Amino acid sequence: MSVASRERPIHTAPRRSAGNTPRLDGRASAALMLGGAGLFVFNVLFGPIAIVLGLRAARNPAGGRFGRIGGRLGVTLGVLDLLVWAVLLLVRLRGDGLSWQFGG
């Protein structure tokens, strides 16, 4: 009997049933993605969208535990987006010379 012909059991994690799987609501995941991206680009656009989607996800009882947490985090990131935008705007208006340039 060769080593290659021996059957070895494959150890895998136990499977969860479909009703037991923790899920993240689509609105919550969209709020998280837009809120995170808004910290770097399009703050004034992505921030309010993340806030609205996050509030809807947090209030949705069918979203489950992770949908509510994701919604709250999306709202938090959306508010941070608007704060970053406000700081950048105030620094620019004061004339302190903050500028982003690409390509020279």
Side-chain angles (χ1 to χ4, degrees), residues 49-76:
I49 295 172
I51 291 171
V52 169
L53 288 174
L55 287 174
R56 288 187 180 177
R59 291 181 183 161
N60 184 12
R65 188 178 91 201
F66 293 107
R68 289 186 182 148
I69 292 172
R72 289 178 185 156
L73 287 173
V75 170
T76 303

Side-chain angles (χ1 to χ4, degrees), residues 92-103:
R92 182 68 178 168
L93 289 176
R94 281 187 53 200
D96 287 341
L98 176 73
S99 65
W100 290 349
Q101 288 183 327
F102 297 106

